[in-house]
Structure formats: C-alpha cells, structure tokens
Amino acid sequence: MAALLLAGCSVTVKDPGYTPPAPLPPLEQLKQAALTDAAPFAAAGDVLAFVTADRNIVCALTSARGPHLDLPYEPNNFSDPGNRKLDTVPVAHCELAVYPEPKEADITDTCSGTGLGYLGGSALLTQGKTTYGECRSGVSAMEAAYGPRGSVRGGTGSQGKGPQEPDPQGNKDIAELRVLADGVNLERNGLRCSAYEGGVACGNISGGVAFFISRDHYELVPPEGKNTVAAPSKAPKSP
C-alpha cells in the first residue's frame, strides 16, 4: 500500500504490485496461531465446542468410544452403559451447513454394503487419522440448523424452536455456541482447532495429521507427511 499526502491529509491507495501472502497450510496454522482461553467454549462435561462467525461450521473437541462420539449438538450413544467398556480417545469433529462432496478416494465406508448414503459435510480427527464424510440418512444437525433450508433464524435457540430449558447434561444447541475468532487456536487433549481462511483446521501437531474444511473445499493431511489430499469442490451441496 502507498500513502499520499494531499493538503495535510493522507490517502491510502492500493499498490498494484502487492501480492498477499498465501494462507498457511493447516498444520502450520495450528502450530503458529495463539491459544485462546478454553473456558468460554465449555459445552458439556469437558467437551469444547464452537461455531464459525459465518455459522457454516460447528466443531467439538471431544471424546469417542468406538464409533460413538460425545457431541453436545447431536444425539449420540456415547454414555450408554454398554459403551463404557470401550476405550475413550480424544477426537475433533466438525459439521458444515454447506459443504463440498467427498472425493471418491476419501469414501471410507460402504454404508452397510450398499455403497449409498456416504455424504460430505462432516470431518473427524483422531490422534493419527482424518476422515471426511460419513454414512448418513438425511441432514446433520448443522445442516438442519443453518443449511439452505435450515430452521435457525437469527439464533433463536433449539434449532429455531424458541428458548428452551437448560439441558441437564449441559448440552447446547448450535445457536447457543460461542464463535471462535479467526486466527486463534482452541486446544483439548493434544488436539487443536483454528478458524481461518473461511474455514476450520483441526489437527494433532505431534502426529502430523490434520484437516481443513470450508464451504467450497476440504483438505486432508495424513500423518508423517504422506501425500496430502486436497479436494476442490464441485458445487457446494446440501442434500
């Protein structure tokens, strides 16, 4: 940028030769961004959850028992007595309201052998693995709330159903979750998430594994510097 002094006033004009720096890769963003205080993002138990400023992404730094995730914004079986014998591991999970389709190479489930129903709009990070998409019938909670036909209008609570009584387990509707500001990190049990460049990166720095998701593309960073899978989107979609 250049400043011109005219009659005691400064006028800023764009420098035609200026090229903005490229955005940081997901792992670099997670390494370099400052950590923010986790307390305001407490959702239920020791789970941390947030939404992005544009209300397109909701994420939770949480735990899993087998395939059962402890999510404050989705019904789940994490606490069922039969699942308590399973190992509890830290994970990061995100959902999108508007999202790209998964690449064929990233489809990791046959959906009970049907080969149908594997949809984009969700990402999962464990200590050593990332996935994009899942077998799902219908829409996710985030898509139901903020997708093209979503029911939330101006954050009315309980996915558009008006103010509700507090959940006894401390769970929160997506509309009640705090916004994670761009450019900062939230961390729980060695996993970090950062909102930047119109999306969210989550990763395990020590394991060298991460993902980045946004409304028009996603990127999976496998562990140990294996080939990164970057998927530009076809048209963003919401089934």
Side-chain angles (χ1 to χ4, degrees):
M1 306 294 276
L4 302 178
L5 296 179
L6 299 175
C9 298
S10 64
V11 179
T12 302
V13 296
K14 289 185 178 180
D15 180 351
Y18 173 74
T19 302
L24 291 173
L27 277 173
E28 286 303 311
Q29 170 68 18
L30 294 167
K31 289 177 183 176
Q32 296 184 27
L35 285 172
T36 191
D37 181 16
F41 298 93
D46 66 345
V47 176
L48 305 178
F50 65 88
V51 294
T52 52
D54 64 356
R55 300 304 196 279
N56 191 57
I57 303 174
V58 63
C59 296
L61 287 160
T62 183
S63 299
R65 290 173 176 156
H68 308 290
L69 306 181
D70 186 12
L71 299 176
Y73 44 79
E74 285 271 15
N76 62 82
N77 299 318
F78 177 84
S79 297
D80 285 5
N83 295 328
R84 292 176 184 171
K85 62 185 178 183
L86 301 174
D87 290 339
T88 301
V89 297
V91 298
H93 174 271
C94 297
E95 292 181 0
L96 300 93
V98 179
Y99 52 84
E101 296 181 36
K103 287 184 65 176
E104 185 174 351
D106 296 329
I107 297 176
T108 58
D109 197 315
T110 63
C111 302
S112 300
T114 65
L116 302 173
Y118 195 94
L119 304 174
S122 69
L124 180 66
L125 165 77
T126 62
Q127 292 286 354
K129 183 181 178 182
T130 57
T131 56
Y132 177 75
E134 63 183 352
C135 292
R136 186 173 73 243
S137 175
V139 298
S140 67
M142 188 60 178
E143 193 174 349
Y146 288 102
R149 293 183 289 274
S151 58
V152 169
R153 295 293 179 265
T156 55
S158 197
Q159 275 63 281
K161 299 177 183 177
Q164 305 288 306
E165 292 297 320
D167 185 277
Q169 280 74 48
N171 290 329
K172 293 185 178 181
D173 291 328
I174 293 172
E176 300 172 312
L177 296 177
R178 190 180 181 101
V179 171
L180 182 65
D182 277 4
V184 297
N185 269 322
L186 190 62
E187 183 175 49
R188 175 187 180 272
N189 287 354
L191 303 183
R192 291 183 175 185
C193 288
S194 181
Y196 82 118
E197 294 296 322
V200 170
C202 293
N204 173 12
I205 294 174
S206 62
V209 60
F211 65 70
F212 175 81
I213 52 171
S214 70
R215 68 177 57 239
D216 58 9
H217 77 282
Y218 72 92
E219 179 180 346
L220 302 180
V221 182
E224 303 301 329
K226 295 179 182 177
N227 292 334
T228 296
V229 178
S233 83
K234 303 177 183 176
K237 190 174 176 183
S238 184

